[in-house]
Amino acid sequence: MFSGSLVALITPFKSDGSLDLEKYRELIEWHIAEGTNGIVPCGTTGESVTLTHTEYESVIKTAIDQAKKRVPVIAGAGSNSTAHAVELAEQCKAWGADAVLTIVPYYNKPMPEGMFQHFKAVDAVGIPMVLYNVPGRTGKNMPATTTLRCARELKNAVAVKEASGDVGQIMEILAGHFAVLSGDDALTLPLIPMGVKG
């Protein structure tokens, strides 16, 4: 469903600490002009966990408005709270996002069954969902078996953003015929011939 260069956008701020939405719009326009295939507002690069809910809403809505369906918007909608992740996904769907990026719950370090149940709850929202495995940020790796279970059993799971740094794990997911997006810049180039989508 998604492929190519899908950029995790920074969130620009003014010197007084307020959002700089004018610069944000300029950044999105630059990416579209340069051939970016999709944008990802409010991922970890966009400082999602430090934004207030009002700021979060402004950033997501601005990205959707500025993109104007020229490129897909995969809105960061992750939380270590399953209820909050569901709420964010519902809001992003209502605002018009094309998909959500949903991280393995951080800090809580759930077991594989807990990870699956978390993603299952978000899946019920009914918006395409990119799973996000970044153990360096969450403290817990999602094994390939769990990723592939999500691929088989969750109808809205469309890809996984893999930032585990484990090439063997990524190969196992690819062998299971599930779309992988590289979440590790250093591995992206060597992973392309292996079949990653973006």
Side-chain angles (χ1 to χ4, degrees), residues 35 119 128:
F119 289 123

Side-chain angles (χ1 to χ4, degrees), residues 2-7 31-32 34-39 70-73:
F2 302 109
S3 63
S5 177
L6 306 164
V7 178
H31 273 291
I32 292 172
E34 291 296 313
T36 293
N37 301 107
I39 56 173
R70 292 173 291 168
V71 295
V73 175

Side-chain angles (χ1 to χ4, degrees), residues 25-26 29 33 70 78 80 86-88 92 112 120 180:
R25 288 181 181 275
E26 290 175 12
E29 280 305 310
R70 292 173 291 168
N80 64 329
V86 168
E87 179 185 1
L88 293 176
C92 290
K120 181 179 178 182
V180 174

Side-chain angles (χ1 to χ4, degrees), residues 1 19 28-29 45 58-59 86 128 166 173 188:
M1 183 173 187
L19 292 175
I28 293 167
E29 280 305 310
T45 300
S58 294
V59 170
V86 168
D166 185 336
I173 296 166
T188 300

